[in-house]
């Protein structure tokens, strides 16, 4: 700090022009921010004015978070994600990837168990994604059930390795005793090795790969969702315990009876 301030003073003495200098320092278990203004008077005196900027800087950070962050997950929002893509577009870049992830069956959860449970699923998924990829790039929530990661300086082998770790985190999360709903994620990514990058094309390719992944496991995910939600509905109220399975049996019997009646009539 002293060395930096000395350089600023020497610069002002040579140029005789007002100069600003900013620094931060810990004080009472918090980081405080200061502005230093150095100028030279008509009597060749060096005047140093120090102003505490902590309140202003903290407020600016909070306002920036409101603009750039998603209120539910505290990840970056779509606006920030698109701004980052725009900055990267048509630039000469090596090892750039876009990863898209989608929560399987979220609409089903919202319609069956309510939006509060849906929000819990979104938060759980965001925590797993953030824990896995935050060190590799910019993690954003770009839709109701969609997330995106801009990954720089990593090759596909590294991405695949982290995706495997993410799936293991999901398995651990789903095996917890209080896990009402098993979180499942579909994902796909696109990779740009070198040269001028077209971020629009890269995003579209990642989106296509993500939906292919979703289609491949759609039937198994749907079966898991139905079983999980049936258990959740039964556990919700002991009076209705077994109601869903009884309704399933009745619906099957009615269907078979209808088919038998139709066959007898014709």
């Amino acid at each position: 700090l002293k060395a930096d301030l000395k350089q600023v003073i020497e610069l002002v003495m040579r140029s005789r022009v007002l100069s600003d200098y900013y620094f931060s320092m810990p004080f009472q278990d918090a980081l405080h921010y200061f502005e230093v203004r150095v100028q030279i008077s008509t009597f060749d005196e060096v005047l140093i004015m120090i102003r505490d900027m902590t309140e202003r800087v903290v407020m600016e950070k909070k306002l920036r978070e409101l603009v750039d962050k998603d209120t539910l997950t505290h990840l970056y929002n779509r606006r920030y994600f698109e701004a980052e893509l725009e900055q990267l577009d048509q630039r000469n870049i090596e090892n750039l990837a876009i990863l898209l992830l989608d929560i399987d069956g979220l609409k089903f959860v919202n319609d069956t168990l309510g939006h509060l449970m849906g929000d819990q699923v979104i938060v759980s998924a965001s925590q797993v994604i953030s824990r896995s990829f935050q060190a590799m790039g910019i993690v954003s929530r770009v839709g109701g059930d969609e997330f995106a990661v801009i990954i720089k300086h990593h090759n596909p082998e590294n991405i695949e390795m982290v995706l495997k770790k993410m799936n293991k985190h999901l398995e651990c999360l789903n095996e917890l005793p209080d896990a009402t709903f098993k979180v499942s994620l579909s994902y796909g990514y696109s990779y740009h090795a070198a040269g001028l990058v077209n971020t629009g094309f890269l995003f579209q390719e990642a989106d296509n790969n993500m939906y292919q992944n979703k289609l491949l496991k759609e039937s198994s995910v749907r079966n898991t969702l139905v079983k999980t939600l049936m258990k959740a509905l039964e556990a919700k109220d002991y009076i209705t315990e077994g109601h869903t399975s009884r309704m399933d049996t009745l619906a099957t019997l009615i269907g078979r009876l209808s088919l038998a009646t139709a066959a007898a009539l014709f």
Side-chain angles (χ1 to χ4, degrees):
L1 176 61
K2 289 181 179 178
D4 292 339
L5 185 56
K6 183 180 178 182
Q7 288 181 359
V8 175
I9 293 171
E10 289 174 351
L11 175 64
V12 170
M13 290 179 68
R14 288 196 307 270
S15 63
R16 306 186 72 85
V17 176
L18 172 71
S19 183
D20 295 332
Y21 170 65
Y22 299 90
F23 71 94
S24 60
M25 61 183 298
F27 178 70
Q28 293 182 346
D29 299 325
L31 193 62
H32 285 248
Y33 301 86
F34 299 91
E35 176 192 54
V36 181
R37 288 194 170 186
V38 182
Q39 69 179 42
I40 195 161
S41 73
T42 54
F43 301 103
D44 288 337
E45 296 173 325
V46 177
L47 304 178
I48 303 174
M49 294 163 282
I50 302 176
R51 182 168 57 155
D52 189 342
M53 301 287 288
T54 305
E55 187 175 348
R56 177 178 170 180
V57 171
V58 170
M59 183 60 67
E60 285 177 352
K61 285 185 174 182
K62 287 181 179 179
L63 290 173
R64 197 174 296 116
E65 282 195 359
L66 288 174
V67 173
D68 294 337
K69 295 291 185 72
D70 173 59
T71 53
L72 179 63
T73 63
H74 304 296
L75 299 177
Y76 288 112
N77 56 25
R78 189 180 186 94
R79 190 208 68 81
Y80 186 88
F81 171 77
E82 290 179 344
E84 286 294 311
L85 281 190
E86 188 176 349
Q87 287 186 2
L88 294 170
D89 194 38
Q90 301 304 317
R91 287 180 56 189
N92 197 342
I93 298 174
E94 295 183 2
N95 293 330
L96 176 69
I98 294 178
L99 169 67
L100 298 182
L101 306 101
D102 186 273
I103 302 174
D104 297 318
L106 183 64
K107 185 179 185 304
F108 196 19
V109 176
N110 286 332
D111 293 343
T112 311
L113 298 178
H115 286 272
L116 286 178
M117 176 59 72
D119 285 349
Q120 290 180 27
V121 172
I122 291 170
V123 170
S124 297
S126 72
Q127 290 172 347
V128 172
I129 295 168
S130 178
R131 190 181 305 121
S132 302
F133 288 99
Q134 196 167 39
M136 296 180 72
I138 297 169
V139 183
S140 307
R141 183 187 178 199
V142 296
D145 54 0
E146 295 179 352
F147 300 85
V149 189
I150 299 174
I151 302 173
K152 300 178 183 178
H153 314 304
H154 288 276
N155 57 36
E157 289 77 15
N158 290 342
I159 297 170
E160 291 287 349
M161 182 176 64
V162 177
L163 283 170
K164 288 180 181 178
K165 289 181 180 179
M166 183 193 74
N167 285 329
K168 288 182 179 178
H169 287 320
L170 281 175
E171 288 176 10
C172 294
L173 177 69
N174 292 332
E175 288 172 1
L176 292 174
D178 58 346
T180 307
F181 174 80
K182 295 187 182 299
V183 181
S184 172
L185 292 170
S186 295
Y187 50 81
Y189 66 90
S190 55
Y191 174 70
H192 172 81
L196 291 178
V197 62
N198 184 329
T199 55
F201 174 80
L202 209 60
F203 180 88
Q204 189 59 55
E205 186 180 24
D207 193 53
N208 292 339
N209 291 337
M210 186 266 289
Y211 275 104
Q212 285 181 17
N213 179 250
K214 181 177 282 289
L215 289 171
L216 284 172
K217 62 177 186 176
E218 188 173 9
S219 58
S220 62
V221 169
R222 188 186 294 114
N223 291 338
T224 304
L225 277 171
V226 171
K227 290 176 183 177
T228 304
L229 291 171
M230 284 178 69
K231 288 181 181 178
L233 287 170
E234 288 176 356
K236 199 172 182 181
D237 188 350
Y238 73 92
I239 297 174
T240 62
E241 186 175 357
H243 176 68
T244 51
S245 59
R246 290 194 297 273
M247 289 299 295
D248 180 50
T249 303
L250 285 172
T252 303
L253 289 173
I254 291 170
R256 288 175 179 173
L257 181 61
S258 299
L259 288 173
T261 304
L265 288 173
F266 295 101

